[in-house]
Amino acid sequence: MFPNSFMFGASLSGFQFEMGNPNDPSELDTQTDWFVWVRDLENLLNGIVSGDLPESGAGYWKSYEKIHQLAVDFGMDTLRIGIEWSRIFPSSTREIPFGEGMLEKLDSIANKDAVEHYRKIMEDMKSKGLKVFVNLNHFTLPLWLHDPLAVRKGKPTDKLGWVSDDAPVEFAKYAEYIAWKFGDIVDYWSSMNEPHVVAQLGYFQILAGFPPSYFNPEWYIKSLRNEATAHNLTYDAIKRHTDKPVGVIYSFTWYDTLKPNNSEIFENAMWLANWNFMDQVKDKVDYIGVNYYTRAMIDKLPKPIEIQDFELNWYVVRGYGYACQEGGFALSGRPASEFGWEIYPEGLYYLLKAIYERYNKPLIVTENGIADQNDKYRAQVLISHLYAVEKAMNEGVDVRGYLHWSIVDNYEWAKGYSKRFGLAYTDFEKKLYIPRPSMYVFREIAKTRSIDQFKGYDPYGLMKF
Amino acid sequence: MFPNSFMFGASLSGFQFEMGNPNDPSELDTQTDWFVWVRDLENLLNGIVSGDLPESGAGYWKSYEKIHQLAVDFGMDTLRIGIEWSRIFPSSTREIPFGEGMLEKLDSIANKDAVEHYRKIMEDMKSKGLKVFVNLNHFTLPLWLHDPLAVRKGKPTDKLGWVSDDAPVEFAKYAEYIAWKFGDIVDYWSSMNEPHVVAQLGYFQILAGFPPSYFNPEWYIKSLRNEATAHNLTYDAIKRHTDKPVGVIYSFTWYDTLKPNNSEIFENAMWLANWNFMDQVKDKVDYIGVNYYTRAMIDKLPKPIEIQDFELNWYVVRGYGYACQEGGFALSGRPASEFGWEIYPEGLYYLLKAIYERYNKPLIVTENGIADQNDKYRAQVLISHLYAVEKAMNEGVDVRGYLHWSIVDNYEWAKGYSKRFGLAYTDFEKKLYIPRPSMYVFREIAKTRSIDQFKGYDPYGLMKF
Amino acid sequence: MFPNSFMFGASLSGFQFEMGNPNDPSELDTQTDWFVWVRDLENLLNGIVSGDLPESGAGYWKSYEKIHQLAVDFGMDTLRIGIEWSRIFPSSTREIPFGEGMLEKLDSIANKDAVEHYRKIMEDMKSKGLKVFVNLNHFTLPLWLHDPLAVRKGKPTDKLGWVSDDAPVEFAKYAEYIAWKFGDIVDYWSSMNEPHVVAQLGYFQILAGFPPSYFNPEWYIKSLRNEATAHNLTYDAIKRHTDKPVGVIYSFTWYDTLKPNNSEIFENAMWLANWNFMDQVKDKVDYIGVNYYTRAMIDKLPKPIEIQDFELNWYVVRGYGYACQEGGFALSGRPASEFGWEIYPEGLYYLLKAIYERYNKPLIVTENGIADQNDKYRAQVLISHLYAVEKAMNEGVDVRGYLHWSIVDNYEWAKGYSKRFGLAYTDFEKKLYIPRPSMYVFREIAKTRSIDQFKGYDPYGLMKF
Amino acid sequence: MFPNSFMFGASLSGFQFEMGNPNDPSELDTQTDWFVWVRDLENLLNGIVSGDLPESGAGYWKSYEKIHQLAVDFGMDTLRIGIEWSRIFPSSTREIPFGEGMLEKLDSIANKDAVEHYRKIMEDMKSKGLKVFVNLNHFTLPLWLHDPLAVRKGKPTDKLGWVSDDAPVEFAKYAEYIAWKFGDIVDYWSSMNEPHVVAQLGYFQILAGFPPSYFNPEWYIKSLRNEATAHNLTYDAIKRHTDKPVGVIYSFTWYDTLKPNNSEIFENAMWLANWNFMDQVKDKVDYIGVNYYTRAMIDKLPKPIEIQDFELNWYVVRGYGYACQEGGFALSGRPASEFGWEIYPEGLYYLLKAIYERYNKPLIVTENGIADQNDKYRAQVLISHLYAVEKAMNEGVDVRGYLHWSIVDNYEWAKGYSKRFGLAYTDFEKKLYIPRPSMYVFREIAKTRSIDQFKGYDPYGLMKF
């Protein structure tokens, strides 16, 4: 049983959900690195991006009322949304010094239409009884701060994204401006989503199609550190305008070792992927947002690799976790999603325990879900991951809510529209949101605040832990 | 939209559902051909039967109240159940002449415990608001009428099952006795389930593991004729005791031809599989029960085969309909069930139209469902087949209800417990019935009497007709 | 290295190779059980047989010179051929008593054309330098001795095949007649091929499509005993006319146990499948012909099954040996043939050792090969099984030759022409025999009498024992 | 039948075959771009290269005598080998002006050990009766001319490889030096191997793991033009020292269009991939070396892409040609190699016809083969592609020889040792070269100068054109 205060809801982001009409300039988010990235010739010709374009998407910018109603109809009490930095500040804020008088100056160059539109969205949420959970950054950066095409080609530029020395303070300006504008209406604040993913796929594992796909281990470390600094500045900035909870959303990965109990590589991997960033921000979070999809299976590297002052001593074993065949099965026998991600709910349980033990902060599951166009596995994913949450809660972990990724289908970055995470199937052409069968299971759970009625049926053996 | 009078429910049978405890003699149905058949050495050693035993099953005999409640909780208003001939008359009725005084004599040798138990079952249904739909014969025959092991080995015997000359009249005795006993409580009567399957798999396509698996085209024809005679006698016999609707349940197959519009083989196949029997009984049915699972794809035989006075001019093409790989895909691209049956809802639509046109009787879908342990396809099967029903109704076909096969998992004849058709997963050991996710979809449909909310999401393209 | 005396050759049989022209009555072998069996309606309609007919086959009856030349061209020095009992005695010999004067009486009813034709075949072999290896019976029985359709249907008949009490003596008549006629020209004699297969698939494992597919464990035992008696009579009968070696050809199976070293079930299986028959004939063989294709993996049966006085305590585990997916891979990782037979050469090595230890007779590998239309594995099968032979010889086992099954493609019983075992691809229509690439490997081995040049390349890991 | 003058042989290259012992500095070819490229951290961490290293290879540098003998033993009369530019000139030749006195100056800085070693290799070929076919450049460039790591990162450098303005003349110096040194012994000269592949995979399709994997359409065009200039200079340079034939080796691709006869995209693709380069060099070739592996299937791009002055109007359709699943099957039903390359011999036939028609020069098939570790398809590849050659010759095309890729397994660039193209399996550790079964087929063909004996057996339907 989940307590009445436990939030059931879904998470969205800006870039992946907002746009829906390529012919309506008022809703296009053109001043952001990803907007440029997904239409670059090099990316297109090499299949680095899908060719799908974000402006043909779910259309939340215009259809937010429908999607809010859908959430309410299916038992949700919270929605997490994103604000797009580049919508608010399409041109540079670098000229405006941080500090006294900054907010007014920012206001003079901010895009007021965007500010007002976001307020309408939030007011509609409030009017329908939904809690407003706002995340300030979800991968995308304004073009004036990040020119990924120049970076990739090694051209001289000061638009280095999170590698730029001034990126943290620029972010803090934006964040404080938003807090100043929306401090009265937002219930939960998050500075950013999955900072480690941005750094890792941008500068280290460069074949995932993330900008700038420029291998540079130093920058991997540096961008992550700048993101931490940005968060810490942001925490204080927001707190100057509201006393609502402020946190960060992080994609945690659980690590299993191929040879059992190989604690040497386990600790090394957990530190690099999870604790390295979180330790840097742990004093500036009121809660921790936990995104969880699957684990990684690792084994020892014969020869460790030096990355600046860090010694990487492991590598990822194919056939488990994120490294399975799309739509196939993991070597563990568990099914893999259409993204090739093993369904592995115990990883969420292990992580909730480990994170809570290390930081002793309230936790919110801010993302969890599956790319599953045909809804073959989604109901079992829901049930088994809530089983993991419940189990952790029964053992004392303070989990405050579960936000599914996502309520409707969305634009999955370099993969475009081929990976469908929605509880509701989305007809992108007609902007229809049709609940998949699993969404009725979500409703049943949210209404009864319980998964007990599902527990005896576990066709994939996902609740045997 | 389905009208309020439209029945939503499920179908069960006796042998496949009743037994649940091998150690309780009171519930064992030992005097029936299938009970012997599934434990025969020849069958076991050659894998002709699964090795699973029916007495470890769902346990409806003892747990009927739980299953009735489950039906009610999930929006059902009707359950079809079976009565086991061999439970009522474990020993031969051949000595008792048909006619005057017969019922009392039958009563003197009937198993009163069984009679009373079936009444308790029906009374419980009534008390929960469920319509009582009774089918008198579902494949199994009493051992005193059918010794399949002797038949298969060519041993002289008068226990030839439906090939016996006196089978029709023996059946009519049993039927009239049941009508006499239960005429007051039953809402819908059916003489028998899928007579053609019994004849076809018993004497013609003998590798399906059905008793007696004895190839004999003459007997195939004869047994089918005897079943028709039995039905006709039964209709009159029941009508002497009640004016409730009496019908027959038939497994209709839709035929598509590999070369388009090959009407020569289409007519030939439709007649042999569907019309041959139905034409013989069409004047003695108040409704027709339509069981539907999938189609058959056929092509022309180079040289027709003579079966008595019939010329078979087609053969079944593998890769479609019933002839797909288990858990794979049909050559049409549609998924196949764990039984290897293509999901093909338009076949139901075509059949409802064709049956109604030929016989102009009310129709009830008395079986439809899928072997789908993991519930990957069941929700889409439900929606798409109800779409077929609705479409036929919109075009004037008089369909009165939809009974899903089945509410819980059951004993699937020669395949044992490996094929799971239940809306509710069944833990055979603990006698737990846990609704699969698709059962919540069933509930939604039954409550709203509509599938409109599901129509836009058709991941397998099943509603494009 | 194989000594100069070591025979390299191939094996053929009568029924599977001789016929080639359905329109030439002079070559049709119509008076045999298999000729009737493969065109029976029950078999055809149920897919028990393939529908292919033996009279469209390789046409050895007419094209023997071409096939003999092919053998010589590719380094063979021996061919094993079969004589068809039903060709020599198309009508019953039962009226002619065994003993004095028998040969002349048999001669008066024998088919002289057939006798002469077989002599021409053998003379052509001799003229080309090929050793004549004759096997007297290969599965098929004259219709006057075996009516499989009557047997299967349980009809009273005295044509019970090997179950008939007089089968052994009838066989001995036939055998002595052949020895009398061909004693001057034959180099190696075998009474029969794979007697256990005939008994096992005829009466015990009845789904393989072998006549009469009539389950009867007693007959399984009895037919095997009669075959042993027939062999023993035959040995003496032949020896009255020649002093050339007389033996029997047996399909040996190697057994591995799922749980290692499970000697209880190992001994039980080895006895039933191998030693039971061989022990009965061991004093009447000058050599033992070893047919080998693959192993069986077995595990313990929870409850042993009584077959007369024998307790069967094991069952075959799927995924190994004969029980793999066609064209797939065994659970051991080794490839499986188009018949679903694991490639497992160590089984041949183990068997040669075990047979030689038990009987201390010269051994000849009389069959070994693979159903491999596309020649993907045949070269490796050749090399690895000859590696097994060489290894056994190096350890003292007296192996005298290796006869591949087969030189050309053939009629594979119930499977028809779909399983192709030929070193030479056979165009059945044009009667062309085109060496597959592996046949050049055979030639290389036969010419050099060595497999050393192939040893370092073992892509499937077949020579790691 | 192939005439006696028709060459049967194999092709090798320097970098992929020479090295074999990482501990012997005398054989390491360290001053080349690929040597650095395959051990770069970015490449290794991202799986852009295999991790295999070229110095653990076939060891031709030391074992050339064994490999030459193998060639002779299996009927070859010609071997194509490569000379490594960076072995001859490990340091820059840029300071030496082209023209008078150049050869002596080059001689003063050339690596004499390498020069002498190559001569020994050629002398051994001659002594065994093998024709010496020398190719001067096969992908690799000296580090002093190409720094791929700097290029990829956009760092300023004058080591731009073929993009450098002086690359053609530097190449011509090297070429003339070699002609001066080896003009007396070489029978066939080729300037370079597959210039288009170097340009295309280096600057346009950058995910194949070829240096520098730096997307730049202008450089794609420019590098190709420089290669053409280099060839033309080289032709004259060589001709100053010998009158033996000089040509170029090109990897031709055949294009099929998804919609039949789409000549618009067909011509566009054929020009870009084949004629663009060849037209530039057609007056300076005595023969054209044709490398052929498979086709590409193309369809029309909705919107053409501008690449400088060229309009690309097509894209490659997956499931055919080079774009199949590794070890799977093409959508045409033909098998695909372990590289995912469809076996498509008619493409070679079409190309030979088209090339000969356009240029009217003698052709030599300088590469053809398959990545096929287990030798499942290689024999059929050999036969069917020689069938294509024979068919073209019968229709008047002047083809002078067939050099298989390759005689032994080799280092397959970014794929390392996982793709095995050898007629002889190579045990890289022990430097053993063991003929695969298909090599016996090669020998049979080379000895009989005919493929007629194989024609009737075409299990994959590769000779139906």
Side-chain angles (χ1 to χ4, degrees), chain D residues 345-362:
Chain D
E346 49 265 66
L348 177 54
Y349 164 71
Y350 297 139
L351 279 170
L352 291 173
K353 299 268 288 185
I355 300 164
Y356 192 64
E357 185 180 9
R358 191 172 182 103
Y359 301 115
N360 198 31
K361 301 276 184 183

Side-chain angles (χ1 to χ4, degrees), chain C residues 81-89 93 98 102-104 106-107 110-112 114-119 122 132-137 170-186 188-191 234 237-242:
Chain C
I81 62 168
I83 289 180
E84 282 293 292
W85 188 353
S86 57
R87 282 196 188 274
I88 305 296
F89 294 111
T93 58
F98 196 88
M102 168 186 84
L103 292 168
E104 290 72 14
L106 286 171
D107 203 33
N111 175 353
K112 294 293 161 40
V115 171
E116 274 164 39
H117 197 85
Y118 278 121
R119 176 160 285 274
M122 295 184 210
V132 177
F133 190 128
V134 163
N135 175 50
L136 293 173
N137 181 255
E170 291 308 316
F171 186 72
K173 290 179 197 168
Y174 154 62
E176 182 154 0
Y177 179 77
I178 297 296
W180 182 52
K181 285 288 182 186
F182 298 100
D184 58 321
I185 191 166
V186 171
Y188 281 84
W189 292 90
S190 160
S191 59
T234 290
I238 296 172
K239 284 295 187 181
R240 283 193 281 273
H241 302 275
T242 175

Side-chain angles (χ1 to χ4, degrees), chain D residues 415-435:
Chain D
K415 298 292 183 179
Y417 297 110
S418 65
K419 307 298 175 204
R420 292 180 170 249
F421 281 88
L423 286 165
Y425 165 77
T426 303
D427 182 327
F428 291 107
E429 201 133 330
K430 303 187 191 148
K431 310 302 164 197
L432 295 177
Y433 317 105
I434 300 149

Side-chain angles (χ1 to χ4, degrees), chain B residues 176-324:
Chain B
E176 183 154 0
Y177 179 78
I178 297 296
W180 182 52
K181 284 289 183 187
F182 298 100
D184 59 322
I185 192 167
V186 171
D187 297 296
Y188 282 84
W189 292 91
S190 160
S191 59
M192 61 184 68
N193 177 75
E194 305 190 348
H196 182 251
V197 167
V198 172
Q200 183 191 19
L201 304 191
Y203 306 109
F204 200 62
Q205 294 198 327
I206 59 164
L207 297 187
F210 269 53
S213 294
Y214 185 80
F215 184 79
N216 190 325
E218 290 182 37
W219 286 10
Y220 161 48
I221 301 300
K222 182 174 181 187
S223 62
L224 199 65
R225 202 162 46 224
N226 278 352
E227 289 177 295
T229 305
H231 169 81
N232 290 336
L233 292 174
T234 291
Y235 181 87
D236 294 335
I238 296 172
K239 285 294 188 182
R240 285 193 280 273
H241 302 274
T242 175
D243 56 3
K244 290 290 169 59
V246 179
V248 69
I249 295 168
Y250 196 85
S251 179
F252 291 90
T253 300
W254 179 254
Y255 287 87
D256 283 318
T257 59
L258 198 62
K259 279 134 209 145
N261 303 317
N262 192 335
S263 65
E264 185 193 357
I265 63 171
F266 172 77
E267 299 294 349
N268 186 294
M270 288 292 281
W271 186 84
L272 187 68
N274 300 318
W275 312 144
N276 178 19
F277 179 87
M278 287 307 301
D279 283 358
Q280 294 176 61
V281 302
K282 67 173 191 290
D283 298 327
K284 299 281 187 184
V285 289
D286 302 325
Y287 72 90
I288 297 170
V290 177
N291 290 358
Y292 176 76
Y293 290 97
T294 189
R295 64 168 162 178
M297 178 66 79
I298 56 173
D299 199 8
K300 196 173 175 178
L301 260 187
K303 225 174 70 181
I305 294 164
E306 307 272 335
I307 306 168
Q308 296 199 277
D309 52 349
F310 182 76
E311 268 211 346
L312 188 77
N313 64 5
W314 50 273
Y315 70 97
V316 170
V317 179
R318 292 202 59 79
Y320 300 90
Y322 286 105
C324 300

Side-chain angles (χ1 to χ4, degrees), chain D residues 148-214:
Chain D
L149 304 179
V151 172
R152 174 162 59 181
K153 282 285 170 276
K155 292 190 189 151
T157 176
D158 64 344
K159 299 173 181 174
L160 293 169
W162 286 112
V163 175
S164 302
D165 291 326
D166 62 354
V169 76
E170 291 308 315
F171 186 70
K173 292 178 196 169
Y174 153 63
E176 182 154 359
Y177 179 78
I178 297 295
W180 182 52
K181 284 289 182 187
F182 297 100
D184 58 322
I185 191 166
V186 171
D187 297 296
Y188 282 84
W189 292 90
S190 159
S191 59
M192 61 184 68
N193 177 75
E194 305 190 349
H196 182 252
V197 167
V198 173
Q200 183 191 19
L201 304 191
Y203 306 108
F204 200 60
Q205 294 199 328
I206 60 164
L207 297 188
F210 269 53
S213 293
Y214 184 79

